[in-house]
Amino acid sequence: MTLVADRDYRIPSGCSIMGIMDESGKPMSGEGIVRGMSYMRERGNGLGGGFAAYGIYPGLAQYYAFHLLFEDQEARRQVEKRLRRFFEIVRAEPIPTRYTVEITAAPLLWRYFLEVKSLPEGVEEEELVVMEVCEINTTVEGAFVISSGKNMGVFKGVGYPEDIGRFYRLEEYQAYIWTGHGRFPTNSVAWWGGAHPFGLLDWSVVHNGEISSYGANRRFLEHYGYHCSLFTDTEVITYIFDLLVRKHGLSVDLASRIIAPRLWRENDVLPNDERDLNEALRVVYAGALLNGPFSVIVARQGLMIGLNDRVKLRPMVAARDGDRLYLSSEEAPIRILCRLPREVWSAEAGQPIIGCLKPDAAVA
Amino acid sequence: MRINAEFLDYRRLNGKVREALNQGENSIEVDGVNGHRYLAAALSADHAAIRVKGVPGNDLACFLGAGIRVEVLENCQDGAANTMGDGKVVIRGSAGDITGYAMRGGKLFVGGDVGYRAGIHMKAYRDSVPVIVVGGNTGSYLGEYMAGGIIIVLGLGNGFAPRVGTYLGTGMHGGAIYLRGNIDPAVLGEAADIKTMEDEDWVVLRRELRDYCEELDLDFETLANAEYTKVAALSRRPYGSFYAY
């Protein structure tokens, strides 16, 4: 594949992010997160908004749910033809939207529920999905896969998040994890596929800030076969989590120590085994360290993680109340959904805040 | 006078507060506040009080001028008292990152904790000396690049010293930070140093503690009799030879 010059894919931004998880798996309508995000309107500029939702397709949970953007019907035909090589299309339908004055120039929005019918020699199912998503996004003109996980989906576009939420009728969906993003792109062209969340398999990432180590991270990831490129730093975050947690089986805690490690000086004063562990992780996974100012919310089925950069250059507030975990760039959106949470605190640099589905939860 | 902010955006809310002050109102209660930015920005008056119910948005009381007392009953978001010039801000809950950013004067009292980089770029000029008192703990980089003014951290509820993270006073070249109890020198950033508490330090400290205790209903004697550590600049020009290689 062709490499694009670094100057063409940097997207520094001052965005709003939010995540809500019910750890007991209890479903919540999308109305809450859309309302919460509207309280951070000032952080975005209407050039990108989006949401990820988990647990929304319970009746179709065994199928990969592909959300797609098409510029025209020809792109749709091309993609469907392509998908049929390895997948059975169990269901195909337009994603329901409503007419709103704020959202204009929407592409064709479709979703497909897919079952793998045959695997190429030596390829595992999840690898096939990743390969197909990359192929469609890089080779089919006018088509773009925005999410590809089971029982989850990404809804995004160009507009303010609350308008995008209304456009996609998110109040009609029930999810136990919602994440949201309002975008403030400063030097890249806004387009529907480039809004956040970024999704691959059941991972989704919303992100405020910029990853200045992008080049080093990308080179590191290429050694592990991650070639597909959207030219955004958000994609790199997703791949690093996918590599560390899904492929290498590391805990979120260990992954966080790799992604946002303590400064050497802080590490040196830790007890010996802690210090040595951190040092070993940094040596082995040097290329997975994310540098630059960021706050990010990463989610996958059963899991939601909030993480800040190593010196806390972007905001994040967290709250817990009952089974609910809230993460947000600001406190106000949390308070509008939960007036007096049991606990409200400010995230610490490099320390992950983790929401996990309880073992006895109904979904999973 | 009471203003309900619930159905107002921040521009209209700030307009109403300003209008009320201009009409001579000297006691304003704003309720239903949630994420409204720049509340009380750049206001000044002969003598007026603004009470805020709810969680105000970023940059509360930024550029605040003389004669205004802003009281927040709950938490605050980031950047409270940004470039505040005079007056007084009392936050009963906790405040976010960069609280007191580039403060130039006046007093900021926080009952709970503050986030990262509180008091960054604070500075004093002649008799305009900004003061921040934090009842709880602070995030790292407290008083980063501090050029003047006073920061006091009490760590109430901890028993001993406050938790102040690391890189305390990184790049500071003026002003003073007083911490209740003893701190580990390992938390100091480059350019900051532990200094002996002199008589004039106690005068300043007691004066501010008395005011803080009155505002937050705390026992002055207990706090005044505690031990304190002073942190100040190692030199007035920590980076004087930074580029002189």
Side-chain angles (χ1 to χ4, degrees), chain B residues 21 24 37 59 75 79 94-95 97 116 126 140 166 169 209 213 216:
Chain B
L21 280 181
R37 288 166 183 248
D59 295 309
N75 292 347
S94 291
D97 293 343
Y116 281 62
R126 292 187 178 160
S140 297
T166 51
L209 282 177
C213 288
L216 284 126

Side-chain angles (χ1 to χ4, degrees), chain B residues 69-94:
Chain B
R69 178 182 189 280
V70 178
E71 182 182 11
V72 178
L73 304 180
E74 298 180 30
N75 292 347
C76 259
Q77 292 191 169
D78 295 338
N82 180 353
T83 325
M84 176 172 161
D86 206 337
K88 188 185 247 182
V89 176
V90 179
I91 298 164
R92 297 198 175 270
S94 291

Side-chain angles (χ1 to χ4, degrees), chain A residues 35 39-40 42-43 263-266 269 310-317 329-333 335-336 339-340 344 346-350, chain B residues 6 10-11 34-35 37-38 53-55 57-58 74-78 94 96-97 115-117 140-141 166-167 185-190:
Chain A
R35 180 149 191 247
Y39 279 77
M40 296 191 283
E42 206 68 14
R43 301 186 74 88
L263 302 174
W264 286 118
R265 200 183 116 172
E266 293 169 336
V269 300
R310 323 154 65 193
V311 292
K312 185 80 193 289
L313 289 166
R314 286 292 180 274
M316 184 164 341
V317 178
S329 301
E330 296 181 15
E331 188 172 329
R335 295 288 190 143
I336 204 67
R339 180 72 192 88
L340 293 170
V344 187
S346 189
E348 281 183 50
Chain B
E6 205 180 337
Y10 72 84
R11 290 182 189 87
N34 197 53
R37 288 166 183 248
Y38 317 115
K53 288 184 171 173
V55 176
N58 293 4
E74 298 180 30
N75 292 347
C76 259
Q77 292 191 169
D78 295 338
S94 291
D97 293 343
Y116 281 62
R117 298 182 174 79
S140 297
Y141 305 95
T166 51
Y167 295 92
V187 306
L188 294 178
E190 201 180 334

Side-chain angles (χ1 to χ4, degrees), chain B residues 35-53:
Chain B
H36 296 79
R37 288 166 183 248
Y38 317 115
L39 201 51
L43 295 180
S44 59
D46 289 338
H47 182 75
I50 300 169
R51 254 163 81 90
V52 179
K53 288 184 171 173

Side-chain angles (χ1 to χ4, degrees), chain B residues 22-34:
Chain B
N22 288 343
Q23 284 168 3
E25 190 67 52
N26 61 14
S27 174
I28 302 169
E29 184 168 296
V30 190
D31 52 20
V33 171
N34 197 53

Side-chain angles (χ1 to χ4, degrees), chain B residues 239-245:
Chain B
Y239 298 115
S241 55
F242 195 70
Y243 294 106
Y245 47 84

